[in-house]
Amino acid sequence: MKQYPGYTLVKREECPEQHGTLTVLTHDVSGAAVLLVENDDDNKAFGIGFGTFPSDDTGVFHILEHSVLAGSEKYPVKSPFLQLLKSSMASFLNAMTFPDKTVYPFATPNETDFKNLMDVYLNAVFCPLAMVDRGVFEQEGWHRDEDGTVSGVVYNEMQGALATPDAQLQNALSRAMFPDTAYGFVSGGDPASIPALTYEKYVRVYRRHYSADNCCITLYGKMDMAEKLAFLDEQYLSHMPKSVSRPRLTVQDEQAGVRLHIPYYTEKPEPDEAQCALAWYTGAFADRERQLGVEILLDALLGNNQSPLKAALLEEKLGADIDVGFDDSTLQPTLELVLRGATEASAGKFAAAVRNAVDGILEKGIPEELLMASLNSTEFASLERPGSIPDGVLDAIHASTGWLHTGDPALLLHTNGLFASLREKLEKGWFNELLRELFAPAPVEVIQVPALPKKEEEGRAARTDGKLVLDHPLTAADLGEGKKLTPGRGGMLAGAELLHHPSAGSTYLNFYYDIGNAAPEEMPYLNLLTDVVDELDTGKHTAQELNTLRNTWLGRSGAWVDGWTGRQPGRPVHAKLVAGMSLLERSLEKAVELGGEWLYETKLTGPQAEAAMERVVSQQKLMMEQRFLREGHAFASMRAAAHFSVEAAMNERCSGVSYYHFLCGLQEEADWAGLGRRLEALREKVLGGNALTVSLHGSDAALDTLKKLLPGSAFAAGERRAAVPYREALAPAVNEAFVIDGGVNYDVLAWPMERRLERKVLARVMSYEYLWHSIREVGGAYGTGMVTQNDDVEYLYTYRDPHLAESYEAFAAGPAELAGRDYTENDMNEFIVGAAAKLDTPRKPRDEAAATDCKYFCGITDEMNAAERKSLCSVDAAALKAEAADLSVRMEKGVRVAFGSKEAVEAAKALFDRVETL
């Protein structure tokens, strides 16, 4: 038996159908599936297929198929694929997007050419420049020209591909059969939806699906397989560890009996150009005998005009022709019959005619000789493999399909046994029963009728910046009154304030320690404490043992520092050290026990603790450096807001640039023993003596249990200090720029603004009516917007912006632009609905519990929410224009903070008072 280092043998078997041997391997590091088809065919072939499952009609996988062949790290030329077509000896060189996979195959008789092509293809799919070059996406996918129209290779291709009535009928049929799975989407992309694809999602989809453990690689023909496998391992696969989980297909509940009528718009509709498509599910993909039986049966009954079923249907004179389709390559194979050249009336009779014709055939039984003829011809075709596509390329496609749906790349390459079995079953009436089963359910039916284009659809292929017109646009009346608060019942127990929010389902237990009395310089230490406690031993358990117990008994648990600006007089900031746990109610006793050990008994001094602190500080510093590159706008907005808001200033100390400086200082000082002593003193002060609120979101029975547990727990205390607001003197305003790597910029302008909910309407207009165009579409930034926060600050931001100074210029021009526009009643309705709807965004239960606790501390009532909602909904065009005019005055008091490249910051240095390289 041959051995292949770096791979695990799954199976090796002779395959007479392929005139050779099949070997299935799994790559040890990456998890990639590999199929070797070893035979004497000199037309060697390679293929790599990925499972790609659309979740919308944007055609992202079709665009990716084009894009990855437009240059890679090793081959950074504009169009290597075009150059290969010119210079290679390949007998086949292409790529194709299927409804559930994307395959990149080639075939060539030349050994050197094979090696070159394999490297080019592998580098293309695993290291494409498209992931760092937005121009590829815009060229191959879509972009907006200066006149506002949309263009792009795939966009233009699909404009033509989906213009035909057949394509529209097929899409409608797929949607009807698979409304809840990937097969219901247009894998090639619908031009109406392609412009909804953002570059960010395009990159994210690539990284999710183009991984080595989500691919099947086929090597076919006469070649040194060991050499090719070693190349794969050394150059690519060994550098690609398995991901957490592969994307998977889902199974659709069958939609038997669904009926649709759709139009086909044409300038010359004819009454006899209607079509009707009927479709049925044919069983499981893995049942290859059944699917091969379906293929044979359909050929016998519908293969030509004289075939029994087709002849009977044509005799009904419902239409000009009947086509049959069968796709057994999907997870849920389907067959379809399409009546062409019908009238709307005759199309409606097609399903009943099929039912009657099938019943008539079943009464007599299918002639055995007819079935045997179809079986023989099908078997011959499987061996001959007619057509121009090389055998090795077909094998690569089949291998990807079998691997995708069953995990076995060799599944579809074996057919001899299936034909032999079907020959035996033919004589026993098996095909008659198969026919009965296939057509027993009511079909999915789509009738397509030609019609003149509606006036509003004229010119619909040209997309512009016009408004979206909905049949039923939302109004403020659709918003309702907002979700009502569920007040928590309070009371004192064991020195703590106990809140109970009745709820069903999972139980959430949150401990809020007041840290309003902490000095500003203590805040970063408290934040570090919440990260360190997960790494420490106790007297009972090691850190690993304690974390294992927490994971066993608790759904999720963690600690963090948080704070909120209250609605009480004076706008106090409520600062808390929070320990939160989610659990099943039956684990409540364990939660209190383990929570007490985790928070109170972890050892903050000693060699183990010192090593843990050094490790955590290093990890946190590195993580922040990485986040500066990914989320610079978040850090910039926090830094800018800290000049105007105590809440923001506290957050900046705990998680912003100031905290990064704090970590750098600790690492440089390296006094881990001293750090441990300081953290121990702070823990004693906060956990032992500061005000504690215990919030339980759960049943009355859980409350009764908690009341019994708290007095004897680590959380109990005889007396605690009263909660006080957190205070901090704000630093004078200063414009700052922070130099980061990465070549993109994050630009923020923030200013003070008293909290007024109606400003959310202004923020929405600024974001989507001005910034989206000027910053994103024209400027090329990934993202941009205006945010009005709850802590008395507003700001504008850009995200992954190629510009810096230019974006600040665009910011400054915004208020005048908005103030000078006219807004219709419909415009205002859209703005208000969009802003107000965000107030009631559904939350997961854990997040809802935290939000409820926040409202309690901040003194937020239903009456406050109702008043704010009313003010938001009352904004009219005049008020909006006045707010926009006022915005320029507010922005003049703002602070600029940017994270950007050295070149961009240097070019815009006049905008900043200080520049720092992070």
Side-chain angles (χ1 to χ4, degrees):
M1 184 69 70
K2 295 182 180 179
Q3 299 295 320
Y4 300 109
Y7 300 81
T8 296
L9 177 68
V10 178
K11 64 179 178 180
R12 184 177 175 86
E13 55 198 15
E14 294 301 310
C15 185
E17 297 93 334
Q18 309 306 324
H19 310 289
T21 302
L22 305 181
T23 304
V24 178
L25 306 167
T26 300
H27 187 256
D28 295 337
V29 173
S30 68
V34 181
L35 173 67
L36 310 180
V37 184
E38 297 174 88
N39 57 25
D40 291 327
D41 193 342
D42 288 326
N43 195 16
K44 296 172 279 291
F46 167 90
I48 180 167
F50 298 87
T52 52
F53 318 131
S55 59
D56 55 36
D57 291 322
T58 61
V60 59
F61 295 113
H62 186 191
I63 296 170
L64 282 170
E65 175 214 318
H66 282 242
S67 300
V68 301
L69 298 174
S72 64
E73 290 179 6
K74 187 174 180 181
Y75 304 98
V77 296
K78 185 174 182 181
S79 183
F81 187 70
L82 177 61
Q83 294 184 36
L84 288 172
L85 287 173
K86 293 178 180 178
S87 59
S88 171
M89 292 178 62
S91 57
F92 187 93
L93 189 69
N94 212 333
M96 59 256 330
T97 303
F98 296 86
D100 53 18
K101 59 184 174 289
T102 306
V103 185
Y104 299 83
F106 68 80
T108 178
N110 184 275
E111 174 67 16
T112 301
D113 197 33
F114 185 95
K115 293 179 181 178
N116 291 338
L117 290 171
M118 185 168 72
D119 193 30
V120 170
Y121 264 52
L122 288 167
N123 207 256
V125 297
F126 287 130
C127 312
L129 291 180
M131 295 304 104
V132 295
D133 183 0
R134 189 189 184 99
V136 174
F137 166 74
E138 294 177 343
Q139 171 185 294
E140 300 299 328
W142 75 276
H143 64 272
R144 196 176 298 277
D145 293 325
E146 291 183 0
D147 61 359
T149 59
V150 174
S151 186
V153 175
V154 170
Y155 179 86
N156 295 335
E157 175 187 346
M158 297 308 294
Q159 284 275 37
L162 296 188
T164 66
D166 282 358
Q168 294 173 25
L169 180 66
Q170 288 299 313
N171 288 341
L173 188 63
S174 296
R175 290 186 193 280
M177 295 200 76
F178 300 99
D180 307 314
T181 76
Y183 295 115
F185 297 106
V186 183
S187 59
D190 185 337
S193 299
I194 288 173
L197 178 63
T198 65
Y199 186 71
E200 182 180 8
K201 181 174 182 180
Y202 162 90
V203 172
R204 185 169 68 248
V205 170
Y206 167 83
R207 290 174 177 164
R208 169 69 171 149
H209 291 80
Y210 277 62
S211 59
D213 60 346
N214 188 41
C215 80
C216 177
I217 298 170
T218 302
L219 295 169
Y220 169 95
K222 187 177 182 180
M223 69 179 87
D224 185 344
M225 295 293 185
E227 177 191 57
K228 306 301 185 295
L229 289 171
F231 176 83
L232 274 169
D233 171 59
E234 294 166 6
Q235 298 299 316
Y236 292 97
L237 299 182
S238 63
H239 306 290
M240 302 174 183
K242 300 174 187 176
S243 56
V244 176
S245 63
R246 271 180 52 199
R248 300 285 184 180
L249 282 167
T250 55
V251 176
Q252 174 68 58
D253 293 331
E254 295 188 1
Q255 304 293 300
V258 171
R259 303 180 68 186
L260 294 177
H261 280 70
I262 64 170
Y264 169 63
Y265 296 111
T266 173
E267 293 295 335
K268 295 181 179 180
E270 299 292 340
D272 60 351
E273 290 180 348
Q275 300 191 99
C276 179
L278 307 176
W280 294 261
Y281 306 88
T282 65
F285 169 88
D287 188 350
R288 298 316 301 168
E289 184 180 87
R290 179 181 177 88
Q291 300 308 325
L292 181 57
V294 172
E295 181 180 354
I296 293 167
L297 180 66
L298 294 177
D299 181 70
L301 299 182
L302 293 145
N304 55 59
N305 288 341
Q306 289 71 45
S307 300
L309 183 53
K310 186 170 185 179
L313 293 171
L314 290 176
E315 285 179 4
E316 296 292 324
K317 301 186 184 303
L318 300 177
D321 197 10
I322 296 161
D323 284 348
V324 58
F326 175 50
D327 184 0
D328 66 341
S329 70
T330 61
L331 183 63
Q332 291 174 273
T334 58
L335 74 86
E336 64 182 78
L337 302 180
V338 180
L339 175 68
R340 304 189 188 280
T343 65
E344 184 174 2
S346 64
K349 300 175 182 178
F350 188 42
V354 172
R355 179 71 267 166
N356 290 336
V358 168
D359 288 342
I361 292 172
L362 287 171
E363 285 180 8
K364 300 177 181 179
I366 308 170
E368 287 188 11
E369 64 272 18
L370 188 63
L371 289 168
M372 184 60 74
S374 290
L375 191 154
N376 288 342
S377 64
T378 303
E379 183 175 21
F380 182 79
S382 74
L383 297 174
E384 185 189 36
R385 309 178 85 171
S388 60
I389 299 178
D391 289 353
V393 171
L394 290 173
D395 281 357
I397 296 171
H398 290 326
S400 294
T401 304
W403 157 80
L404 180 63
H405 299 316
T406 69
D408 184 2
L411 179 68
L412 298 184
L413 276 60
H414 292 288
T415 55
N416 288 353
L418 299 178
F419 283 108
S421 176
L422 289 174
R423 287 180 188 278
E424 295 178 2
K425 292 186 174 182
L426 188 154
E427 301 174 357
K428 301 175 182 178
W430 184 85
F431 280 93
N432 288 287
E433 187 58 31
L434 177 61
L435 176 62
R436 191 185 313 277
E437 292 176 1
L438 286 176
F439 289 92
V444 172
E445 178 181 19
V446 179
I447 295 176
Q448 182 185 55
V449 180
L452 281 168
K454 297 179 181 179
K455 289 184 178 181
E456 61 267 25
E457 297 203 17
E458 292 178 353
R460 60 197 176 104
R463 298 177 62 85
T464 67
D465 291 328
K467 292 286 187 180
L468 179 66
V469 179
L470 301 174
D471 291 336
H472 306 286
L474 291 173
T475 67
D478 296 310
L479 296 170
E481 297 181 356
K483 187 173 182 179
K484 301 297 184 182
L485 295 176
T486 302
R489 299 196 301 273
M492 298 300 295
L493 179 66
E497 179 185 29
L498 179 60
L499 296 179
H500 176 226
H501 305 279
S503 64
S506 296
T507 299
Y508 299 94
L509 183 61
N510 297 322
F511 297 86
Y512 296 92
Y513 296 90
D514 186 72
I515 51 175
N517 61 356
E521 59 271 16
E522 291 178 322
M523 280 296 181
Y525 288 96
L526 288 170
N527 189 74
L528 179 61
L529 174 64
T530 63
D531 291 320
V532 167
V533 290
D534 288 338
E535 305 285 327
L536 304 177
D537 296 343
T538 70
K540 304 172 185 174
H541 300 100
T542 64
Q544 182 179 12
E545 291 169 343
L546 184 56
N547 285 328
T548 299
L549 287 169
R550 286 166 58 193
N551 292 334
T552 300
W553 292 98
L554 306 177
R556 190 167 63 171
S557 59
W560 61 93
V561 170
D562 212 340
W564 317 278
T565 302
R567 306 285 182 84
Q568 297 92 344
R571 304 280 285 162
V573 173
H574 305 281
K576 308 291 178 182
L577 188 154
V578 188
M581 294 176 260
S582 60
L583 57 141
L584 296 176
E585 185 175 316
R586 63 173 180 265
S587 300
L588 189 54
E589 183 175 356
K590 276 291 185 181
V592 173
E593 174 190 330
L594 293 173
E597 181 179 355
W598 162 51
L599 291 174
Y600 287 86
E601 300 180 33
T602 43
K603 299 177 181 178
L604 288 161
T605 57
Q608 188 270 343
E610 293 172 19
M613 289 175 197
E614 183 177 10
R615 180 172 63 249
V616 168
V617 167
S618 177
Q619 292 170 341
Q620 292 292 317
K621 176 176 174 291
L622 178 61
M623 181 184 70
M624 292 194 74
E625 290 168 349
Q626 295 169 341
R627 290 183 62 202
F628 289 153
L629 305 183
R630 301 192 308 266
E631 309 165 39
H633 63 302
F635 292 98
S637 60
M638 192 188 314
R639 183 81 170 182
H643 297 291
F644 311 116
S645 159
V646 174
E647 178 185 331
M650 186 193 81
N651 291 334
E652 216 280 326
R653 286 186 178 275
C654 293
S655 54
V657 172
S658 294
Y659 188 64
Y660 175 73
H661 291 156
F662 166 75
L663 294 175
C664 292
L666 291 179
Q667 195 172 54
E668 184 176 343
E669 188 175 332
D671 182 9
W672 308 116
L675 176 61
R677 290 190 295 271
R678 182 157 190 173
L679 293 182
E680 193 170 48
L682 277 174
R683 180 173 67 176
E684 175 60 27
K685 170 186 172 183
V686 172
L687 273 61
N690 284 7
L692 170 64
T693 299
V694 181
S695 176
L696 173 70
H697 297 257
S699 69
D700 290 339
L703 176 62
D704 292 338
T705 301
L706 185 61
K707 286 180 177 179
K708 297 174 183 176
L709 294 172
L710 276 181
S713 72
F715 300 97
E719 185 176 349
R720 292 180 175 273
R721 289 177 286 272
V724 296
Y726 174 75
R727 302 183 187 280
E728 177 174 350
L730 300 179
V734 59
N735 299 306
E736 298 177 291
F738 297 93
V739 177
I740 57 173
D741 294 327
V744 294
N745 310 296
Y746 303 88
D747 311 325
V748 167
L749 176 68
W751 59 91
M753 179 66 207
E754 64 273 15
R755 188 182 190 278
R756 286 168 33 206
L757 200 64
E758 59 267 32
R759 297 282 289 191
K760 289 187 178 295
V761 178
L762 175 65
R764 192 166 185 85
V765 178
M766 173 64 86
S767 296
Y768 296 108
E769 295 295 309
Y770 175 72
L771 293 175
W772 185 270
H773 174 71
S774 62
I775 299 291
R776 191 179 188 279
E777 293 181 335
V778 176
Y782 271 19
T784 183
M786 174 178 170
V787 177
T788 178
Q789 293 186 316
N790 294 334
D791 58 348
D792 304 330
V793 178
E794 292 179 340
Y795 65 88
L796 306 177
Y797 74 92
T798 69
Y799 173 74
R800 292 189 180 178
D801 191 348
H803 304 295
L804 203 158
E806 297 87 342
S807 291
Y808 281 109
E809 292 174 2
F811 285 170
E817 174 78 16
L818 297 186
R821 293 184 182 182
D822 293 323
Y823 302 99
T824 67
E825 183 177 347
N826 287 337
D827 290 336
M828 295 307 304
N829 186 69
E830 290 178 2
F831 302 151
I832 290 170
V833 169
K838 298 297 182 183
L839 302 178
D840 300 315
T841 301
R843 298 185 180 95
K844 295 293 181 67
R846 165 185 277 273
D847 297 327
E848 185 64 34
T852 301
D853 291 341
C854 173
K855 290 174 182 177
Y856 169 78
F857 289 117
C858 292
I860 299 172
T861 65
D862 288 335
E863 291 74 20
M864 289 179 181
N865 287 339
E868 289 193 330
R869 180 181 289 265
K870 184 177 180 179
S871 68
L872 186 152
C873 292
S874 66
V875 176
D876 58 17
L880 177 60
K881 290 168 71 72
E883 293 283 2
D886 174 67
L887 186 59
S888 62
V889 178
R890 305 282 182 171
M891 289 169 55
E892 288 176 359
K893 302 175 183 178
V895 166
R896 289 183 292 272
V897 177
F899 281 57
S901 67
K902 182 178 180 180
E903 295 76 13
V905 171
E906 178 65 25
K909 62 182 179 181
L911 296 175
F912 304 103
D913 301 313
R914 62 181 299 271
V915 173
E916 177 184 341
T917 299
L918 292 173

